[in-house]
Amino acid sequence: MITPTETGTSNVIDGGFSQPVQISEHIIEVVSDSGEGAQKCGQTFGSISGKMGNGVWTVEIIPAEIQPPARSPAGASGIRVRLGSSYITNMGNEADLVVAFNEQVLYSRIANGAYKKGTVVLLENKWANDPQVEIRNAYSAAVSEFRKNGLIVHELAMEEACLKLTQNPRKGKNMFALGMLARIYSRELDKCLAEITQTFSRKGEKVIKSNQELFNAGFEFASEEIEYHYRIEPYTTDQSKPAIITNGNQAVGLGVMAAGMELVSMYPITPATSASHYVAEVFQNVGGFVHQAEDEIAAIGFAIGASYAGKTACTITSGPGLALKTEMIGLAVMAEVPLVIVDVQRGGPATGLPTKVEQADLLSALYGAPGDAPKVVLAASTIEECLHFVILSRKLAEAFRIPVILLTDANLATGVQPYPRPEVKEEWFTSPVDQSAWDENIPAYNWDEESGLSPRPIPGQRNGEYVLTGLSHTERSKVAYDSDTNQVTHRMRSRKLAALLKTLNPPEVHGDDEGDLLIVGWGSTLGAIEEAIDQLREEGQRVSSLHLRFLSPLEPGLTEIFSRFKKVMTVEINYSDNLDDPLIDEENRRYAQLAMVLRAKTLVDVDCWSVVYGHPLQPGMLYRVISKNLQNLQN
Amino acid sequence: MFGLKADWSLEVFERYFTLGDYAGGEARWCPGCGDLAVLNTMHRVLRDAQMLPEKSVVVSGIGCSSRLPHYVGTYGLHGLHGRALPLANGVKARRPDLDVWVGTGDGDCFSIGAGAWIHSMRYNMDMVVLIFDNGIYGLTKKQTSPTTPTGASTNTHPVGAPLPPMNPLTVTLGISNVSFIAQVPDWNPPLLYETIKAAHQHKGTGFVRILQRCPVFSPDFCKPYQENPERMLLLTHEDGIPMDPGVKRVFSEQREHDPHDWLAAMDVARDLSRPPIGLIYLDTDAPVYSEQSAHGMDITDGEKLAALNAALDRFAV
């Protein structure tokens, strides 16, 4: 029987474990070789926890290769689940408890700073008796090294227990581990079994039953062998308000349907593709169609064609795909075709870090296309916003006759979080294509002098016939190379952003609206930034934060807000030079992307802190960075 | 009311369209350009079919021939270089009621748009694809195109195009699910008319490679065939392009060719010494992607709402 007496975790454990100990939150990881189902285990665990009313955030640990070598640090595949009795907005800091199917995969997690002294590791022990001496030696060396570094390692015969139920424990150990976690964290059994049924619903009764048996075995095993036993109370007392739990890509997919779109035109690209997978699964139920195009360019071309013909369409991609689409985005800007482009950002440049998070497409989203191509750029900062911003994007695209780029990222895409269930309304859907006759006195681009807005004829509308063109054109869409037409039409397209900006309110400051330091972020870093800020503010620091959703046009009032702080600094996940580095000075330093935009916009000397480690920012790390900046300000 | 359609009324004034209804801006092609012949023929095909001008969309890429939409009085989409086909596929995808035409050239389609060409043929959406093939880049002034004959002098290859030209017919024939391939010279108006009309009536993508005269940059591309029609092979068949005796008299070399016979089609298509004229290949059973992509368009908002709520139920906490 494993007892928690040797724990040195930050969670004070008080008394024995005959009753579960109540804790406010825990970070759990399941790590394995690729293909052993650790992600499914963690997703199911996160989903069960969300359904029990806990705050949840999950992050997938993804190897970049499909079949990395077994038992290798590079092959670490798995999932982190942070759950608590409060609303959880990010992946948190170091893990509290880890289930690992071999010891080698733990090395990469340790290298990532995922564990601390006192992290409990429940480790598969079969490697101790492996026929290969190298494996036996590697295993025992690792276990002693982990222990020496403060991890609390418990060696467990998980696979042996699984072998009683299945001949291939590689395919079943994940549900066994789920059973263990369910017992350790006092999960409701009926919810667990129902979730397993749903997870395997497409695989048939037999598969569901054998997975439930493995789950039960894991639960029993943990009851008998493991004394760690916790309770994490639900955070919401009002269970009557319905909630849903999804990852960010599913949220994008739900948003596509809730926006009434009819077409998703895409080309496979990590980490965006799972959004299209989800849409493809259910889209026909709402009458939609997923077109897998031959390439990224054809994907957006197809969507532009559909939109020109009056049908609402979107294309979903990631950075390299956005790069390929830029010429087409320019066409949509020039010819004023409404279109939603979702960019699930990953690490770049080139193929970069396909499975990992970065916020490095901001400048290419803003300025990627040739010529001056004003467009709307939005960034979702929570999973819930991934859903609602697709609807918003669709409406903006149509009202302003403009392409809208919605930026999310790999962290949001694979993160799972519960949020209020949207009350879908029919008016969110698009209206049927207008086929009534067009007033022939109204040109195809009847620009309003002040706003640049104009209604557009749709093919099928009698007397509305016009030729959409990417060439400079007059209000009747006639090709025109003359100076005045080009100047005026640039002005009209640009004016639309000015008009949109007039409708926006200044962003809300998180914390006091004046102080020493203002941290500005965008996208998925919201939760981590605000958690760090809250902690510092509790300690009496005069620090606040601001999170931007509209990047083009940039939200109003920034110069005024910035003027109330001694220093303004962005926190981003893209590369910037560090002033402490050799050779780097104010003259040659390259700034993080939002910082560049803000400096140009506000003329405020905005500083930046950014890293490209490929993983989401942790609140603990931000706490230290911001503390240091505050200290420097005081000196 | 009572589930009846509100509007049963027939259009009071019957509309009849003349050639003028399909005319757009004044065509700005060079005198003697084959594009003018194609444009006039297209106007006639539209007029004879009495297509509603507001229901036809002419899509193009970039190049001389891609100015086509500007000269047709219907809706038009003058897109990007090489991208006419993806744009056209998108137009058709959820608007099967629209009559879609694509105008593209040898550079636009076979070079920068080659990827889209291959895949669009396989999609086999219900549309007409007119390739204005003059064996040269015209708009950018005489650069080598994929179909420029070996040795022809161009601004990018002054001492002569170094490689054998691409054969668009065999390439297109090699694409699975292709359903209609024809070739026609622009200078035989009755044959051009019948060929474009047949492509228009075909359900699926009607691919027509038009041997098109460019008197300015590639006069030698068509001249040998124009002057010696016997250097072309006229394909005849009851399922082929209808042709009157006047047409048949022009071409002394003829072959009875069954367009359903793929191997025979490949045989005539690959003979560069004697380009085939007429219908090379036809498959009326090939799946048409626009029939699949238009699925679900009749779903009501109420049904959408129910389906969306069911989707949300799956994630309910």
Side-chain angles (χ1 to χ4, degrees):
Chain A
M1 171 77 87
I2 294 163
T3 62
T5 46
E6 33 183 346
T7 57
T9 69
S10 58
N11 301 293
V12 182
I13 291 165
D14 148 312
F17 268 72
S18 51
Q19 287 298 312
V21 174
Q22 188 165 325
I23 52 176
S24 61
E25 71 157 74
H26 242 202
I27 296 171
I28 299 116
E29 287 194 359
V30 186
V31 208
S32 69
D33 281 343
S34 182
E36 291 187 304
Q39 281 157 6
K40 184 148 277 176
C41 168
Q43 284 156 354
T44 314
F45 183 66
S47 198
I48 294 162
S49 301
K51 289 178 181 177
M52 284 177 61
N54 286 127
V56 178
W57 185 280
T58 73
V59 187
E60 290 178 8
I61 301 156
I62 308 171
E65 294 163 48
I66 294 277
Q67 284 297 345
R71 291 177 42 79
S72 67
S77 169
I79 194 159
R80 161 179 283 217
V81 184
R82 183 183 181 192
L83 59 134
S85 343
S86 59
Y87 184 61
I88 305 278
T89 62
N90 65 81
M91 67 183 261
N93 299 314
E94 297 89 356
D96 297 292
L97 185 137
V98 180
V99 180
F101 294 166
N102 73 63
E103 79 291 350
Q104 292 299 314
V105 290
L106 292 171
Y107 279 112
S108 82
R109 301 301 300 147
I110 291 166
N112 271 332
Y115 306 147
K116 61 189 171 192
K117 284 192 191 340
T119 297
V120 171
V121 179
L122 307 179
L123 178 63
E124 171 60 48
N125 73 358
K126 69 166 182 166
W127 312 105
N129 302 312
D130 196 272
Q132 291 185 51
V133 64
E134 298 84 1
I135 290 181
R136 294 201 300 273
N137 290 346
Y139 175 80
S140 64
V143 170
S144 359
E145 191 185 331
F146 297 157
R147 285 191 172 133
K148 207 171 80 193
N149 290 326
L151 298 187
I152 297 163
V153 183
H154 300 293
E155 300 169 78
L156 301 174
M158 292 182 266
E159 179 152 326
E160 192 184 296
C162 287
L163 276 169
K164 292 174 191 156
L165 290 164
T166 173
Q167 287 175 331
N168 181 7
R170 229 181 106 76
K171 293 278 175 213
K173 222 162 27 170
N174 62 339
M175 287 298 120
F176 186 86
L178 179 66
M180 287 166 52
L181 291 174
R183 155 71 192 177
I184 295 170
Y185 293 98
S186 315
R187 303 292 89 179
E188 288 169 31
L189 272 181
D190 53 338
K191 284 208 164 68
C192 296
L193 295 171
E195 196 66 27
I196 294 171
T197 304
Q198 195 175 323
T199 302
F200 295 100
S201 59
R202 284 203 293 187
K203 304 224 164 139
E205 275 303 316
K206 210 174 139 203
V207 175
I208 293 171
K209 190 159 167 282
S210 71
N211 278 292
Q212 287 180 340
E213 281 170 3
L214 282 157
F215 170 88
N216 287 331
F219 195 94
E220 295 280 312
F221 179 86
S223 321
E224 286 161 20
E225 304 284 335
I226 302 173
E227 249 202 26
Y228 297 105
H229 196 189
Y230 303 107
R231 271 169 63 84
I232 302 178
E233 291 291 310
Y235 81 95
T236 157
T237 45
D238 183 6
Q239 297 280 7
S240 63
K241 278 197 180 153
I244 55 172
I245 179 165
T246 73
N247 68 32
N249 275 355
Q250 288 162 336
V252 165
L254 288 166
V256 164
M257 294 188 287
M261 290 193 187
E262 286 191 27
L263 179 75
V264 170
S265 178
M266 52 72 69
Y267 182 79
I269 185 167
T270 304
T273 316
S274 68
S276 303
H277 290 178
Y278 171 62
V279 176
E281 208 179 301
V282 286
F283 213 14
Q284 69 278 5
N285 301 337
V286 295
F289 183 72
V290 175
H291 171 61
Q292 181 183 330
E294 59 270 28
D295 58 46
E296 293 280 0
I297 300 171
I300 185 172
F302 198 97
I304 289 175
S307 178
Y308 163 76
K311 296 296 186 165
T312 47
C314 79
T315 183
I316 305 176
T317 188
S318 186
L322 186 73
L324 287 164
K325 292 180 196 297
T326 50
E327 192 190 15
M328 279 288 185
I329 294 172
L331 173 66
V333 170
M334 182 58 138
E336 306 192 41
V337 182
L339 184 67
V340 177
I341 302 135
V342 181
D343 172 10
V344 185
Q345 299 168 97
R346 65 191 221 182
T351 313
L353 295 172
T355 60
K356 301 193 182 234
V357 65
E358 212 168 278
Q359 302 179 305
D361 294 344
L362 175 58
L363 293 180
S364 62
L366 291 173
Y367 306 120
D372 180 56
K375 64 190 88 68
V376 177
V377 179
L378 290 173
S381 48
T382 63
I383 289 167
E384 183 180 9
E385 283 179 3
C386 288
L387 191 161
H388 289 282
F389 278 16
V390 178
I391 304 166
L392 174 64
S393 298
R394 200 272 290 167
K395 288 185 176 162
L396 289 172
E398 274 160 32
F400 289 84
R401 206 175 170 179
I402 202 169
V404 179
I405 299 180
L406 171 58
L407 299 170
T408 76
D409 64 33
N411 182 25
L412 293 170
T414 58
V416 171
Q417 190 188 33
Y419 53 93
R421 176 181 173 135
E423 283 177 49
V424 187
K425 299 176 185 71
E426 279 187 28
E427 55 259 37
W428 291 6
F429 301 150
T430 42
S431 352
V433 178
D434 184 0
Q435 293 289 273
S436 63
W438 182 263
D439 179 350
E440 60 190 321
N441 298 312
I442 297 177
Y445 298 94
N446 191 28
W447 292 296
D448 176 70
E449 272 295 310
E450 191 173 286
S451 65
L453 299 182
S454 58
R456 66 180 182 130
I458 302 292
Q461 285 191 285
R462 189 175 169 180
N463 301 329
E465 292 90 343
Y466 77 106
V467 179
L468 175 141
T469 178
L471 284 164
S472 176
H473 50 268
T474 64
E475 60 175 12
R476 291 213 168 261
S477 204
K478 300 293 180 202
V479 176
Y481 300 121
D482 65 287
S483 323
D484 285 349
T485 299
N486 199 45
Q487 180 70 26
V488 168
T489 55
H490 266 79
R491 188 192 301 148
M492 287 297 99
R493 291 189 296 271
S494 183
R495 191 63 58 74
K496 293 189 288 185
L497 287 192
L500 170 55
L501 181 57
K502 290 282 182 199
T503 70
L504 301 180
N505 291 322
E508 272 181 40
V509 176
H510 178 78
D512 290 338
D513 38 358
E514 57 176 29
D516 293 336
L517 178 63
L518 179 71
I519 298 297
V520 186
W522 64 284
S524 69
T525 52
L526 173 75
I529 291 176
E530 291 193 346
E531 191 168 322
I533 296 291
D534 289 346
Q535 197 181 341
L536 286 154
R537 291 183 56 78
E538 272 174 34
E539 293 167 13
Q541 300 281 7
R542 288 165 45 79
V543 60
S544 301
S545 67
L546 189 69
H547 217 75
L548 296 176
R549 270 81 173 179
F550 274 85
L551 283 322
S552 170
L554 212 46
E555 290 169 43
L558 296 180
T559 312
E560 198 275 321
I561 295 170
F562 291 1
S563 72
R564 293 187 244 127
F565 292 84
K566 284 187 197 154
K567 175 174 173 167
V568 180
M569 180 173 91
T570 68
V571 164
E572 304 176 57
I573 312 178
N574 53 51
Y575 183 78
S576 63
D577 289 324
N578 189 330
L579 277 175
D580 299 334
D581 286 347
L583 202 71
I584 299 303
D585 53 35
E586 281 296 352
E587 186 88 14
N588 63 16
R589 181 189 189 197
R590 293 174 62 244
Y591 281 80
Q593 300 194 1
L594 179 63
M596 283 175 68
V597 174
L598 292 178
R599 291 169 70 87
K601 175 79 181 183
T602 64
L603 298 183
V604 172
D605 187 10
V606 177
D607 194 5
C608 60
W609 180 86
S610 69
V611 286
V612 283
Y613 292 135
H615 56 67
L617 297 181
Q618 296 176 324
M621 184 193 237
L622 290 180
Y623 172 87
R624 290 188 291 276
V625 168
I626 298 168
S627 295
K628 194 175 147 223
N629 269 274
L630 284 162
Q631 263 168 28
N632 291 346
L633 274 180
Q634 280 148 17
N635 295 337
Chain B
M1 204 195 278
F2 308 116
L4 288 178
K5 258 186 162 175
D7 186 4
W8 287 97
S9 59
L10 294 167
E11 194 142 5
V12 180
F13 303 101
E14 191 154 330
R15 297 166 73 191
Y16 179 78
F17 305 107
T18 64
L19 283 177
D21 291 310
Y22 301 101
E26 190 190 337
R28 294 200 191 146
W29 286 312
C30 306
C33 175
D35 293 356
L36 293 156
V38 183
L39 175 66
N40 292 335
T41 306
M42 194 178 153
H43 287 160
R44 282 173 52 216
V45 171
L46 284 165
R47 189 268 320 265
D48 292 350
Q50 284 294 297
M51 302 305 294
L52 294 171
E54 68 270 21
K55 287 281 207 174
S56 288
V57 181
V58 185
V59 185
S60 67
I62 296 296
C64 284
S65 58
S66 291
R67 290 302 176 98
L68 181 71
H70 294 284
Y71 310 144
V72 183
T74 65
Y75 279 89
L77 201 176
H78 178 202
L80 295 178
H81 198 21
R83 313 296 167 220
L85 287 164
L87 291 162
N89 289 329
V91 170
K92 189 73 184 178
R94 301 290 290 178
R95 289 295 304 272
D97 58 314
L98 295 176
D99 173 44
V100 177
W101 296 70
V102 175
T104 173
D106 41 315
D108 197 51
C109 186
F110 305 146
S111 193
I112 190 171
W117 162 38
I118 304 290
H119 291 277
S120 293
M121 289 303 112
R122 189 164 71 101
Y123 297 149
N124 190 34
M125 288 210 175
D126 191 10
M127 58 176 71
V128 182
V129 177
L130 302 177
I131 313 281
F132 296 65
D133 191 343
N134 54 7
I136 200 78
Y137 284 78
L139 192 67
T140 51
K141 304 204 192 308
K142 206 178 182 180
Q143 293 82 25
T144 308
S145 96
T147 55
T148 302
T150 320
S153 173
T154 69
N155 283 330
T156 40
H157 295 105
V159 296
L163 295 171
M166 172 186 261
N167 183 341
L169 298 179
T170 52
V171 175
T172 308
L173 257 176
I175 303 165
S176 56
N177 208 43
V178 67
S179 69
F180 182 108
I181 303 173
Q183 179 159 268
V184 62
D186 76 54
W187 56 88
N188 188 317
L191 190 57
L192 184 64
Y193 174 87
E194 290 296 342
T195 306
I196 293 179
K197 184 179 165 188
H200 189 225
Q201 288 175 343
H202 171 69
K203 194 162 138 299
T205 298
F207 175 91
V208 183
R209 182 193 184 204
I210 301 166
L211 299 173
Q212 178 240 316
R213 291 161 299 160
C214 176
V216 177
F217 296 118
S218 60
D220 295 337
F221 184 67
C222 291
K223 204 181 274 170
Y225 305 110
Q226 207 180 345
E227 290 173 352
N228 309 293
E230 72 280 7
R231 292 185 60 179
M232 295 189 280
L233 178 67
L234 187 73
L235 305 177
T236 58
H237 193 270
E238 58 177 347
D239 293 338
I241 307 297
M243 43 191 87
D244 58 33
V247 168
K248 286 187 177 171
R249 260 199 305 278
V250 176
F251 301 95
S252 58
E253 294 299 310
Q254 300 185 5
R255 184 185 295 177
E256 175 80 358
H257 165 69
D258 178 0
H260 303 286
D261 184 341
W262 186 88
L263 277 176
M266 196 51 110
D267 197 42
V268 294
R270 67 198 284 265
D271 186 359
L272 291 176
S273 69
R274 210 163 42 170
I277 297 298
L279 187 58
I280 295 160
Y281 184 68
L282 178 68
D283 177 1
T284 48
D285 296 327
V288 175
Y289 187 54
S290 39
E291 288 178 357
Q292 298 170 34
S293 64
H295 269 182
M297 284 177 46
D298 49 349
I299 283 186
T300 64
D301 277 1
E303 289 167 327
K304 272 190 198 176
L305 201 60
L308 188 54
N309 275 314
L312 288 165
D313 287 342
R314 198 189 119 188
F315 299 109
V317 166

